[in-house]
Amino acid sequence: MAQRPKLYLAGPDVFLPNAAEIGHRKKELCESFGFEGLYPLDNETMKGFSDERRDAFIYRANIAMIHDADAGIVNLTPFRGVSADVGTAFELGLLTGLNRPVFAYSNDVESLLERTKRNGMATYDTATSSWRDPHGLLIEDFGNADTLMLTEALTAQGGALMRIDAQGRLDDLAGFTACLEEAKKYFEA
Amino acid sequence: MAQRPKLYLAGPDVFLPNAAEIGHRKKELCESFGFEGLYPLDNETMKGFSDERRDAFIYRANIAMIHDADAGIVNLTPFRGVSADVGTAFELGLLTGLNRPVFAYSNDVESLLERTKRNGMATYDTATSSWRDPHGLLIEDFGNADTLMLTEALTAQGGALMRIDAQGRLDDLAGFTACLEEAKKYFEA
């Protein structure tokens, strides 16, 4: 029997109070689709280790898993603000640079602009015909879920960022499961 | 004479009202250090184009510049919240995946935890001996300027994220200039 493809499971899930449980459930879902899930190391897992250079250890462990993976599933749900988690965005970039197919979801259906408006941070500037935040910084208005560098990374692969109506809950797994279905089609093709 | 090394200039500077001027100044600074600066396309530059798939066009243009670059200088100053711009984080990941040396700065000296505390978003949880945001999500406590996936990407190269005392101003160029000095040393070695 051929070896199961390995999927790196990127996302801010590692910061949840029940990170280990979510990781376990994600890995079980991967198994049920015929994949091996590689879940990033989190701070909690590392509590027993010395504080010194624990960050470097976690980084190296995650990078090794990303290099080992055949593809990635990326959770781009907004995190502490209107955009995705920066660590997850970094990992999406790394996977893209390594030519790994990526399947991605966000548990929020709003566009970046809608979300920024709802947070009271968007004003229309008639002089430049564009939306600006309180610092005068441009807010992208393409209808995308997040900044174009993230969403177009998926479009450029022939995919798309899946937008799930789950009110931004980080631990909802409907989008993750939909990504597994896409990954299964990809590896069976 | 050898060709000048090309540097991709990543950062949320493209969202500033004076993005074109900042890009011009950054490219001039690159010239003065013997580099060619590649400044990402911004929305403003593209105003004349059709809205349809303008995001895809900008993405492809930026990706082509990143592939063409010999190294990157990355502005990781906090953007609309406590962390860096997600598009910039993606580009740092892509540069890392492509094995390009990266020099990075943040125009904010605070650590991620200090910044999150100052924004009133951090509470100490005695049960888990860790700092948590209002959603119970873990806040990293390594003293780093941002999440470890960004800062350790630079440490793993033998570098470091430069932290500049410029009150988070996106357009301050002291850190950018310090990165150019590091890049010059790197390419002369």
Side-chain angles (χ1 to χ4, degrees), chain B residues 61-173:
Chain B
N62 291 349
I63 292 294
M65 275 194 272
I66 289 170
H67 279 264
D68 191 34
D70 300 293
I73 296 187
V74 175
N75 179 358
L76 292 174
T77 305
F79 180 74
R80 282 184 200 142
V82 295
S83 279
D85 165 47
V86 284
T88 305
F90 171 87
E91 293 177 340
L92 173 58
L94 185 52
L95 287 159
T96 303
L98 297 171
N99 276 315
R100 301 294 199 281
V102 182
F103 309 90
Y105 65 99
S106 170
N107 289 336
D108 188 314
V109 284
E110 286 182 310
S111 71
L112 175 65
L113 178 58
E114 287 166 343
R115 199 177 303 121
T116 314
K117 282 182 186 171
R118 187 169 48 76
N119 290 7
M121 287 170 64
T123 307
Y124 194 74
D125 178 44
T126 48
T128 58
S129 306
S130 56
W131 289 91
R132 301 274 165 181
D133 74 10
H135 298 283
L137 296 158
L138 185 83
I139 305 161
E140 290 177 46
D141 184 14
F142 297 113
N144 294 330
D146 209 321
T147 185
L148 70 90
M149 291 308 291
L150 304 189
T151 59
E152 292 309 305
L154 302 157
T155 310
Q157 292 190 358
L161 171 56
M162 287 185 219
R163 288 154 75 163
I164 306 291
D165 192 0
Q167 288 77 49
R169 287 192 306 272
L170 283 176
D171 59 354
D172 189 285
L173 295 178

Side-chain angles (χ1 to χ4, degrees), chain A residues 62-73:
Chain A
N62 291 350
I63 292 294
M65 276 194 271
I66 290 169
H67 279 265
D68 191 34
D70 299 294
I73 295 186

Side-chain angles (χ1 to χ4, degrees), chain A residues 15 17 43 47 55-56 59 80 84 86 89-91 93-94 97 129 133 136-140 142 144 147 149 152-153, chain B residues 15 17 43 47 55-56 59 80 84 86 89-91 93-94 97 129 133 136-140 142 144 147 149 152-153:
Chain A
F15 301 118
N43 198 43
K47 278 278 176 196
D55 47 0
Y59 177 80
R80 282 185 200 140
V86 284
F90 171 87
E91 293 178 338
L94 185 52
S129 304
D133 75 10
L137 296 158
L138 185 83
I139 305 162
E140 290 177 46
F142 296 113
N144 294 330
T147 186
M149 291 308 292
E152 293 309 307
Chain B
F15 301 117
N43 198 44
K47 278 278 175 196
D55 47 359
Y59 177 80
R80 282 184 200 142
V86 284
F90 171 87
E91 293 177 340
L94 185 52
S129 306
D133 74 10
L137 296 158
L138 185 83
I139 305 161
E140 290 177 46
F142 297 113
N144 294 330
T147 185
M149 291 308 291
E152 292 309 305

